[in-house]
């Protein structure tokens, strides 16, 4: 049986994480999805996430198969939501899953589902009962992963200085 687990990333993981993110950017471009096509996330963002202890990696048989950031606390990009509402309110205590990607070497193995599930579990262990995530309106694959994980659509948010439109989702765990 294949050993698969989630762990906090270290700076030694940065080259693998960077490779996965660059590959994901190329994959999105190939699908004509303009998510992550404006330089975000930059390599410095990935390094900062690791320094801040919010990056996690999905490890499959010793290889990094996926990565994501698990932000804790208020995400300024989530302070305004259009065409809906957050279930627990704008200023609730929550985690937010960002910069999620799976390596092209592991694509098609439904590992994004395991990655999201693991991050929800970590959120619960950290004492959070509210998990939020967003994705590009054209990113049907990620929307499927998010909905399969039990998240509910809440509205539209606008990310970063570019104010890029994203669909926002929330999962309240018990």
């Amino acid at each position: 049986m294949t050993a698969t687990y989630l762990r906090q990333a270290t700076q030694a993981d940065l080259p693998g994480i960077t490779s996965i993110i660059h590959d994901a950017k190329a994959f999105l471009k190939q699908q004509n999805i303009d998510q992550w096509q404006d330089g975000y996330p930059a390599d410095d963002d990935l390094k900062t996430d690791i320094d801040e202890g919010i990056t996690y990696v999905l490890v499959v048989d010793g290889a990094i198969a996926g990565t994501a950031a698990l932000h804790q606390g208020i995400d300024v990009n989530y302070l305004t939501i259009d065409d809906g509402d957050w279930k627990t309110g704008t200023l609730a205590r929550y985690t937010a899953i960002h910069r999620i990607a799976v390596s092209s070497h592991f694509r098609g193995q439904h590992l994004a589902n395991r990655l999201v599930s693991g991050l929800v579990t970590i959120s619960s262990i950290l004492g959070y009962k509210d998990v939020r995530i967003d994705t590009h309106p054209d990113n049907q694959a990620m929307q499927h992963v998010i909905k399969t994980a039990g998240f509910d659509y809440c509205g539209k948010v606008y990310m970063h200085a570019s104010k890029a439109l994203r669909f926002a989702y929330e999962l309240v765990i018990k």
Side-chain angles (χ1 to χ4, degrees):
M1 180 177 259
T2 303
T4 303
Y5 59 93
L6 203 59
R7 67 166 170 78
Q8 200 166 28
T10 68
Q11 285 299 331
D13 299 319
L14 185 58
I17 291 167
T18 302
S19 176
I20 289 169
I21 294 294
H22 287 201
D23 188 52
K25 288 179 179 185
F27 184 67
L28 290 166
K29 184 176 184 175
Q30 189 177 38
Q31 296 178 73
N32 296 316
I33 299 172
D34 70 357
Q35 184 175 5
W36 292 0
Q37 300 305 303
D38 61 357
Y40 173 86
D43 294 356
D44 286 343
D45 296 323
L46 305 175
K47 182 183 182 320
T48 298
D49 287 350
I50 293 171
D51 287 343
E52 292 178 357
I54 65 169
T55 300
Y56 290 84
V57 290
L58 180 69
V59 179
V60 177
D61 276 346
I64 297 175
T67 183
L70 186 65
H71 178 85
Q72 298 176 46
I74 301 295
D75 184 323
V76 295
N77 297 295
Y78 289 174
L79 289 174
T80 301
I81 185 166
D82 290 341
D83 298 330
D85 290 300
W86 295 113
K87 295 173 166 187
T88 57
T90 303
L91 299 177
R93 185 175 184 272
Y94 61 88
T95 58
I97 300 171
H98 291 300
R99 296 176 283 291
I100 183 169
V102 173
S103 167
S104 61
H105 303 294
F106 292 90
R107 202 168 284 142
Q109 297 181 33
H110 306 286
L111 293 177
N113 295 348
R114 285 188 174 185
L115 187 50
V116 170
S117 176
L119 293 167
V120 168
T121 299
I122 289 169
S123 296
S124 177
I125 290 168
L126 292 172
Y128 292 89
K129 301 298 178 199
D130 185 350
V131 184
R132 299 177 183 184
I133 191 169
D134 66 85
T135 194
H136 191 283
D138 293 336
N139 193 338
Q140 298 293 321
M142 183 51 69
Q143 289 176 44
H144 177 75
V145 168
I146 291 168
K147 292 173 189 172
T148 298
F151 286 78
D152 293 316
Y153 176 80
C154 290
K156 298 173 184 172
V157 294
Y158 302 90
M159 303 300 288
H160 312 292
S162 67
K163 298 298 180 195
L165 171 66
R166 298 291 184 259
F167 287 171
Y169 301 83
E170 184 175 26
L171 174 65
V172 178
I173 52 181
K174 300 177 180 164

